[in-house]
Amino acid sequence: MMLLMDFTTFRLPEVRKWVGMAGGRMESPRVEEVLEKVRRIDGERGTVTQVFDAHRVAGKAHLAHAARLALLHRSRGLGFADSLAAELACWVAADGQIKRAFEKVGLREDSSTVALLSVGEEREGVEGALSAVLREIGAEREDEVMELLPSKLKPLTEVFSLPGEMVRKLGIQKLVLERVALLALEL
């Protein structure tokens, strides 16, 4: 079963935050340059944006689930990281170790697709940050790259250490969402 989500921006009333997602295609990113541009844009817009390799994202449901749990846990004073950006990476990666989380799902020099996750106080700020980041990093917006595509099966199975038999029985997205939820047990 695949969970479908047709939105790219939503509000989490429990924490009074807006969350936005966007995908795009780009060629050979220079990771440090991309991250510097993201930090600048976030500073201008009052947002927190994290960039992921879209091949390691199991759909918008994966990003939304991770963002919700990260924000809820931080609002309760729980968390893995000092910064929300690093916290988002940990939840998307389903890994409480920041360095390992970035290795699993972070942007890489050979990434050809990106998935952005942005959090802020206002919808317009979040949507503006997503558009600005895509423009500044030279990525063409294509939200479909966030979806669970057949080409992602192998990388996701490896990144999240999913047993093949379970993937066949339950589906990869359900297993990734479960891994994200289980991260709460580490807190």
Side-chain angles (χ1 to χ4, degrees), residues 104-137:
K104 285 181 167 183
V105 297
L107 186 65
R108 310 154 87 76
E109 300 292 334
D110 65 347
S111 297
S112 59
T113 59
V114 294
L116 307 177
L117 185 57
S118 188
V119 176
E121 302 290 329
E122 298 175 9
R123 181 182 192 142
E124 295 78 19
V126 167
E127 290 174 347
L130 292 170
S131 294
V133 168
L134 287 171
R135 184 178 55 253
E136 288 288 321
I137 67 173

Side-chain angles (χ1 to χ4, degrees), residues 25-170:
R25 291 193 181 278
M26 64 186 304
E27 292 183 26
S28 305
R30 291 190 172 154
V31 175
E32 286 307 315
E33 269 182 38
V34 168
L35 297 179
E36 182 55 40
K37 289 175 181 180
V38 169
R39 282 190 288 272
R40 182 180 48 76
I41 291 165
D42 280 343
E44 294 168 0
R45 298 188 180 264
T47 53
V48 174
T49 305
Q50 190 52 266
V51 184
F52 302 102
D53 182 326
H55 283 99
R56 293 158 181 259
V57 170
K60 288 188 272 184
H62 176 193
L63 293 175
H65 185 52
R68 181 178 179 277
L69 291 175
L71 290 166
L72 287 173
H73 280 82
R74 277 184 79 83
S75 74
R76 295 177 184 137
L78 304 170
F80 299 102
D82 291 336
S83 76
L84 178 56
E87 190 83 20
L88 290 169
C90 287
W91 283 92
V92 169
D95 196 317
Q97 297 295 316
I98 297 168
K99 183 178 182 202
R100 235 180 14 228
F102 281 108
E103 289 170 357
K104 285 181 167 183
V105 297
L107 186 65
R108 310 154 87 76
E109 300 292 334
D110 65 347
S111 297
S112 59
T113 59
V114 294
L116 307 177
L117 185 57
S118 188
V119 176
E121 302 290 329
E122 298 175 9
R123 181 182 192 142
E124 295 78 19
V126 167
E127 290 174 347
L130 292 170
S131 294
V133 168
L134 287 171
R135 184 178 55 253
E136 288 288 321
I137 67 173
E140 185 175 329
R141 184 157 188 170
E142 191 176 323
D143 289 346
E144 293 77 25
V145 302
M146 293 183 287
E147 297 306 327
L148 189 56
L149 305 169
S151 61
K152 293 183 177 186
L153 184 63
K154 185 177 180 196
L156 287 169
T157 300
E158 291 172 1
V159 165
F160 291 95
S161 302
L162 302 173
E165 183 65 25
M166 295 297 286
V167 169
R168 285 186 288 285
K169 283 184 179 179
L170 300 173

